[in-house]
Amino acid sequence: MGRLLKDIFSFEDRPRFERIGFLIFILIVLVFPWIIKSAYGRAVMIKFLLFALFGLGWNLIGGYGGQVDLGQAKNVGFGAYATGLMMLWWNVPFWVTVPVGMIIAAAESFGVAYPMFRLKGHYFAIATLCVALVWKELFVFWDWTGGARGVEIPIRPTPNFTYMQFGSPIYYHYFIFFLFMTQLLFMNWFRKSKLGYECQAVRDNEDVAASLGINVYRTKVIAYTITGGLGGVGGSFMTVYYLYIDPDFVMPLDLSILIAMTVMVGGAGSIWGPVIGAALLIPLDMYLGAWLGAQKRLGIDFMIYAVIMMFIAAREPKGIWGIIERMRKKRA
Amino acid sequence: MELTTQLIIYGVLMGLVFALIALGLSLIFGVMNIVNFAHGEFLMVGMYIAYLLSTFLHLDPLLSLPIAAMAGYLLGIMSYHLLIHQILRGPMVAQLFGTFGLMLFLRYLAMYIFTPDVRSIKQGLLVGKTLSLGWVTLDLSKSVSAALCMISFGIVYWMIYKTKLGRALRATSIDSEAAQYMGIDTKKMNALAWGIGGATVSLAGSLLAHFYYVTPTVGMLFTLIAFAIVALGGFGSISGAFVAGIIIGLIMVISGHFLSELKFTFVYIVYFLVVVFRPRGLFGW
Amino acid sequence: MRLLEVKHLFKEFGGVVANSDISLEVEEGMTMGLIGPNGAGKTTLFNCIAGYYRPTRGKILFDGKDITGWPSHQVARIGIARTFQGMKTLPNMTVEENVMVGAFCRTKNREVARGEAQEIMELLNLREKAQSLPTELPIAIQRRIELARALATKPKLLMLDEIAAGLNPLEIKEILQTIKRIKEERRLTLFLIEHVMEFIMTISETVIVMAAGRKIAEGPPEKVAREPKVIEAYLGEKYAKG
């Protein structure tokens, strides 16, 4: 038990500058809503934490496991719809819907992982994309999901913690930060766990991994299943934060790509990568996008994304964290 | 009965267009084992060229064929030299994201230039006309486009299988290293594959624009259709792509008639089932 | 006691016979060498034993258990470790992590795995390199990493596929010493493929010679080296190489 807690909370094995940086980061996020009063600034912060949360989960399969999954949005959708529909139909408290959403997302991931991991590389990536698109089209097609109209969550007269509805964004800020921290600590445990080592070995060389007693297929299926479950959490948050969901909003291909991209840009397979990637891309998206939108220059922000993406792919496959690590090595 | 005939004919016609769209993807995959996520965006370029010619220059969109092919060729070659060549040696993830980046770039460049509005060609020799074959009446633009796609497919097929250049291309596709020893400039062959891929898909786009709407985001759908076709026909197989194109065309038109909201779903499911259970395609064993 | 036994093993790839009727026995504690010209089917045989290929026909017994057709990770868990031809490290994990992955084969506990890894790194002189990435290190050290990683799975049988390839004479001598030492300390049985003749001849008690997918000779090294069939097989190779 003590060891488990230590594995979850301890960053002792990381170099000092990382721990200091992490501490500063926590402090900034904690005081943020007391310094920044603008609604837009706070919204940017919340979206950053949301995408950092998404990235942390995706990093498990995409970064540590090395399997390019382009369908994480389906899991976000499962979480969002589980929360939305259960609240709408049966008034189920938010905190009950979250695990249900996670279980649904994980179960679906487990189900499709079994056939899907007969594939490798590009074939696997495209298959994940297809599965996610099929789900999205089904959610549009079905009536019980609200179809293309989506699901609207009834607004409650008094803010409360059971349904996680609040008048002020400050609550959502700490709420998403809490979810983010739980997932970060989970990933901190994961990277030190046997499964974490096994995933990385599978990523680096499947033949070698098997020669060391690792069941490659099983490892991938487990990693993909956990990633699915983690994706659901952010989806549940989106439902209570935006109070409205539809398939185009919570499960589009663009969301899957953006999630994968934040991790790639930040640095796949490192604990801080997703946070760095989201810290760069989300404000860029929200500020640049808003500014360009005001100038009626639609699309330039995504073109900038695209250039960053191509540059990272061609020059820095290890992302920004890779650059930082290299610089540190040079200095040492 | 008439409905069945019509559905089958339309399915085959769509399939012929799809086959030309998928040809380039299959060729590129065969030669350098890389998938191009921007493939549908190359198609979109051809579509916009036809649209521009028809709407702003008031020329017949059919005249856009050579222009679209040329533009697609240049785009393919440029993409290869500026991007693909750089990511070819990188890890698979980098390759995926590289072409993904290219896709986003082209898509949002189109968004910037043309806005997200849905556009369609209103004037042209073929547009809106019908062709009566006695027992069925067909859309003229679809029929002629399909015929032209089939001819283009035939020309490329002939080029690959009957010319010296084609032989070099195939040698590179079978074993790049061995081809290099035989004195083939494989880098040039890679670029050529991208050129041909771009030209054919862009050409298909300018024909598709005759009867399909154009938006900046139209590409992804066709990329996925092309993936499904290439998977079904066997990755890298040219003749496989032809047959698989027609099969996918039939699946889409027939399922689309009965369950129009889910017609793409069927295509994705086909892809999924094929790669999982028949990873070498319908014809490869 | 017989540790490994291969009975009439055949392996075909779409009609091409890579291994034809191979039978052999490896006694516990011995060092068995496997030599033969290029394309003789040595690595194919290793891959069959280690579960990377499923034999077309024949049986493989380990410790009295029939392990024919077992997947490679189960073969590893029952006590057969292997290294690979060419360089196969885990490039994005540090040396210590490389070895720890091996140690995780026998434990769930990270501290136990780390302790085991450190002990083995000590044994193989990898201690100072623990935090480096394998790709930054010279070949000779990468080979030791592979060796350490395989050892960490606590095998009974260690199969080494051309561990000395590409090393200079001094490095070969070094790795030879290392292998002898770990064999003693860990009470291993060794089965090795090697191209470097003086290496295999000094370390092996028995040598098996393969050519064109078949076993053509078996016996003590100095005796096998004089057999006409063996000389012919090797001369043929030299001749072909021109």
Side-chain angles (χ1 to χ4, degrees):
Chain A
M1 195 61 203
R3 210 186 76 232
L4 180 70
L5 286 176
K6 193 171 165 245
D7 276 354
I8 293 172
F9 289 103
S10 161
F11 288 87
E12 264 169 16
D13 60 323
R14 308 304 309 177
R16 221 171 77 149
F17 91 96
E18 281 183 31
R19 281 178 294 168
I20 294 172
F22 182 47
L23 218 64
I24 293 172
F25 167 79
I26 291 178
L27 284 175
I28 291 176
V29 177
L30 283 178
V31 301
F32 186 84
W34 306 101
I35 294 167
I36 306 293
K37 302 282 185 204
S38 98
Y40 197 73
R42 287 171 173 177
V44 171
M45 189 63 174
I46 288 173
K47 197 170 174 194
F48 151 67
L49 287 169
L50 177 66
F51 273 82
L53 173 80
F54 286 145
L56 285 170
W58 190 86
N59 198 20
L60 201 154
I61 187 78
Y64 290 100
Q67 311 297 313
V68 182
D69 168 12
L70 296 175
Q72 182 67 342
K74 76 172 159 55
N75 299 312
V76 175
F78 290 140
Y81 271 92
T83 298
L85 292 173
M86 283 167 80
M87 276 189 177
L88 188 70
W89 294 339
W90 306 308
N91 244 336
V92 179
F94 175 81
W95 297 104
V96 179
T97 67
V98 174
V100 173
M102 287 177 77
I103 289 167
I104 292 172
E108 187 273 350
S109 298
F110 180 76
V112 293
Y114 245 83
M116 215 147 62
F117 277 116
R118 293 174 58 171
L119 311 172
K120 279 180 191 167
H122 295 116
Y123 305 91
F124 170 78
I126 302 163
T128 58
L129 199 143
C130 281
V131 170
L133 286 173
V134 167
W135 279 113
K136 190 192 146 203
E137 290 209 341
L138 286 175
F139 272 62
V140 172
F141 175 69
W142 283 328
D143 279 333
W144 63 272
T145 55
R149 278 172 293 106
V151 177
E152 221 170 306
I153 306 300
I155 296 173
R156 287 171 200 279
T158 47
N160 66 72
F161 281 91
T162 320
Y163 295 98
M164 294 314 272
Q165 277 196 16
F166 311 105
S168 159
I170 294 186
Y171 287 95
Y172 287 105
H173 174 87
Y174 289 109
F175 173 29
I176 185 69
F177 184 53
F178 166 75
L179 295 177
F180 165 83
M181 282 304 289
T182 2
Q183 210 156 117
L184 186 92
L185 292 175
F186 171 78
M187 289 307 291
N188 191 39
W189 167 81
F190 167 82
R191 75 184 169 88
K192 299 180 224 165
S193 69
K194 180 175 177 178
L195 181 64
Y197 280 82
E198 288 178 338
C199 279
Q200 294 184 65
V202 168
R203 169 196 67 198
D204 276 10
N205 191 318
E206 292 186 8
D207 285 342
V208 169
S211 82
L212 302 175
I214 297 169
N215 186 340
V216 173
Y217 192 71
R218 188 171 151 264
T219 305
K220 287 183 188 173
V221 170
I222 293 175
Y224 188 72
T225 304
I226 298 176
T227 301
L230 295 179
V233 181
S236 295
F237 174 81
M238 283 176 86
T239 303
V240 290
Y241 178 57
Y242 295 106
L243 294 172
Y244 170 78
I245 51 170
D246 69 35
D248 268 326
F249 181 47
V250 292
M251 48 198 327
L253 178 64
D254 296 23
L255 179 60
S256 296
I257 297 171
L258 191 56
I259 291 171
M261 195 175 141
T262 50
V263 180
M264 282 297 293
V265 168
S270 75
I271 183 116
W272 312 121
V275 187
I276 295 172
L280 181 81
L281 290 183
I282 299 303
L284 184 77
D285 175 38
M286 300 243 333
Y287 284 107
L288 198 69
W291 183 71
L292 291 168
Q295 315 256 317
K296 302 239 181 295
R297 286 172 201 270
L298 224 57
I300 293 205
D301 46 344
F302 275 94
M303 283 157 72
I304 294 173
Y305 274 17
V307 171
I308 295 175
M309 206 158 159
M310 288 188 275
F311 180 81
I312 292 272
R315 299 269 170 226
E316 282 297 337
K318 287 189 177 175
I320 295 171
W321 188 251
I323 301 174
I324 296 175
E325 290 255 275
R326 219 180 29 230
M327 272 165 43
R328 191 173 56 182
K329 274 226 167 109
K330 232 177 232 169
R331 212 183 286 165
Chain B
M1 191 58 217
E2 197 185 316
L3 178 71
T4 323
T5 326
Q6 200 144 16
L7 281 180
I8 290 173
I9 292 176
Y10 273 131
V12 172
L13 292 180
M14 274 317 273
L16 290 169
V17 180
F18 286 170
L20 187 64
I21 293 174
L23 170 68
L25 195 69
S26 190
L27 188 68
I28 290 168
F29 191 88
V31 170
M32 62 190 90
N33 211 359
I34 188 172
V35 292
N36 179 15
F37 271 103
H39 197 66
E41 274 57 33
F42 289 16
L43 179 92
M44 174 198 74
V45 169
M47 292 177 88
Y48 272 115
I49 288 174
Y51 169 78
L52 283 178
L53 226 64
S54 154
T55 310
F56 291 104
L57 301 177
H58 304 291
L59 294 169
D60 194 277
L62 276 177
L63 290 174
S64 66
L65 262 60
I67 305 172
M70 213 43 229
Y73 182 80
L74 288 176
L75 190 59
I77 299 267
M78 257 169 57
S79 310
Y80 176 75
H81 283 294
L82 293 179
L83 175 72
I84 307 305
H85 183 65
Q86 314 274 337
I87 59 178
L88 219 46
R89 277 197 195 82
M92 205 254 335
V93 194
Q95 294 178 5
L96 259 165
F97 278 83
T99 62
F100 234 113
L102 183 61
M103 170 201 105
L104 286 179
F105 187 79
L106 292 173
R107 176 197 269 201
Y108 288 99
L109 184 66
M111 188 86 89
Y112 178 61
I113 300 173
F114 298 104
T115 74
D117 296 348
V118 176
R119 292 158 200 273
S120 57
I121 293 181
K122 305 243 165 30
Q123 291 172 335
L125 195 59
L126 305 172
V127 178
K129 304 220 170 68
T130 53
L131 172 73
S132 184
L133 287 176
W135 84 107
V136 279
T137 312
L138 296 175
D139 183 323
L140 185 67
S141 61
K142 282 187 190 171
S143 316
V144 175
S145 297
L148 289 173
C149 280
M150 192 166 72
I151 293 168
S152 315
F153 198 103
I155 292 170
V156 176
Y157 190 87
W158 170 82
M159 227 192 87
I160 291 170
Y161 282 90
K162 300 287 177 217
T163 64
K164 210 177 149 191
L165 197 64
R167 212 175 308 143
L169 201 59
R170 274 186 299 140
T172 314
S173 144
I174 293 162
D175 188 338
S176 165
E177 219 167 293
Q180 211 159 7
Y181 288 131
M182 278 157 31
I184 294 170
D185 184 350
T186 52
K187 198 182 157 192
K188 213 171 118 193
M189 288 302 127
N190 289 348
L192 182 68
W194 277 82
I196 295 174
T200 50
V201 73
S202 174
L203 181 79
S206 68
L207 285 167
L208 188 70
H210 277 82
F211 56 90
Y212 203 92
Y213 62 88
V214 195
T215 72
T217 50
V218 74
M220 192 70 217
L221 172 67
F222 286 96
T223 304
L224 289 170
I225 291 173
F227 277 146
I229 293 169
V230 171
L232 193 64
F235 280 83
S237 159
I238 305 287
S239 43
F242 188 77
V243 182
I246 292 173
I247 294 175
I248 295 284
L250 283 167
I251 291 176
M252 263 188 69
V253 169
I254 293 170
S255 64
H257 181 78
F258 297 105
L259 261 174
S260 65
E261 297 96 331
L262 293 181
K263 62 178 168 183
F264 301 124
T265 304
F266 287 106
V267 176
Y268 305 146
I269 291 175
V270 166
Y271 170 83
F272 186 81
L273 293 178
V274 167
V275 289
V276 170
F277 297 106
R278 294 298 304 265
R280 285 163 160 205
L282 211 51
F283 316 108
W285 282 95
Chain C
M1 207 202 117
R2 214 168 282 154
L3 190 63
L4 176 74
E5 192 173 356
V6 175
K7 285 180 177 171
H8 305 291
L9 183 131
F10 287 78
K11 178 64 195 171
E12 293 167 15
F13 294 101
V16 180
V17 183
N19 283 167
S20 173
D21 199 17
I22 307 281
S23 294
L24 59 89
E25 285 164 15
V26 181
E27 298 290 324
E28 193 166 350
M30 78 179 294
T31 301
M32 172 76 93
L34 178 57
I35 60 171
N38 281 323
K42 304 179 301 275
T43 298
T44 304
L45 179 63
F46 260 36
N47 280 337
C48 283
I49 296 169
Y52 285 80
Y53 297 151
R54 176 181 282 274
T56 314
R57 253 179 297 156
K59 267 206 162 90
I60 301 162
L61 303 174
F62 182 76
D63 233 356
K65 263 200 204 80
D66 185 352
I67 62 162
T68 321
W70 279 26
S72 38
H73 64 271
Q74 276 182 16
V75 175
R77 283 182 200 161
I78 202 176
I80 301 181
R82 69 166 304 180
T83 64
F84 294 87
Q85 206 174 17
M87 220 72 69
K88 285 205 176 173
T89 54
L90 304 171
N92 298 306
M93 304 175 82
T94 63
V95 173
E96 185 179 57
E97 286 168 340
N98 261 270
V99 185
M100 276 172 77
V101 172
F104 268 122
C105 182
R106 301 280 169 223
T107 175
K108 270 192 154 86
N109 186 321
R110 190 166 55 108
E111 294 315 317
V112 174
R114 167 163 301 154
E116 179 70 23
Q118 278 170 351
E119 201 176 300
I120 288 169
M121 287 191 297
E122 191 77 58
L123 191 67
L124 289 175
N125 267 331
L126 287 167
R127 225 23 210 283
E128 309 96 85
K129 309 286 181 202
Q131 300 309 321
S132 314
L133 290 177
T135 39
E136 299 162 345
L137 301 168
I139 303 178
I141 297 180
Q142 293 196 28
R143 289 281 157 72
R144 292 217 299 270
I145 297 169
E146 275 203 71
L147 209 52
R149 201 175 54 196
L151 267 187
T153 66
K154 294 196 183 146
K156 291 180 196 151
L157 174 68
L158 182 58
M159 307 207 298
L160 306 176
D161 196 346
E162 298 201 11
I163 194 90
L167 302 185
N168 67 37
L170 191 74
E171 290 166 339
I172 290 176
K173 208 169 272 171
E174 248 172 38
I175 203 142
L176 193 65
Q177 292 307 320
T178 312
I179 291 172
K180 279 183 177 162
R181 204 174 70 231
I182 58 172
K183 180 180 183 297
E184 287 313 308
E185 268 185 50
R186 300 248 154 184
R187 292 212 212 114
L188 291 170
T189 307
L190 292 179
F191 190 7
L192 24 92
I193 295 178
E194 200 48 73
H195 247 89
V196 181
M197 271 309 160
E198 68 254 46
F199 185 109
I200 201 126
M201 291 304 178
T202 46
I203 197 169
S204 316
E205 287 144 27
T206 307
V207 171
I208 290 175
V209 189
M210 280 178 73
R214 298 176 169 280
K215 182 168 121 177
I216 58 168
E218 179 171 0
E222 59 282 358
K223 197 172 141 237
V224 163
R226 282 196 302 267
E227 275 197 40
K229 268 190 292 188
V230 176
I231 296 167
E232 194 188 331
Y234 270 89
L235 280 180
E237 189 193 28
K238 282 205 179 109
Y239 189 73
K241 271 184 182 165

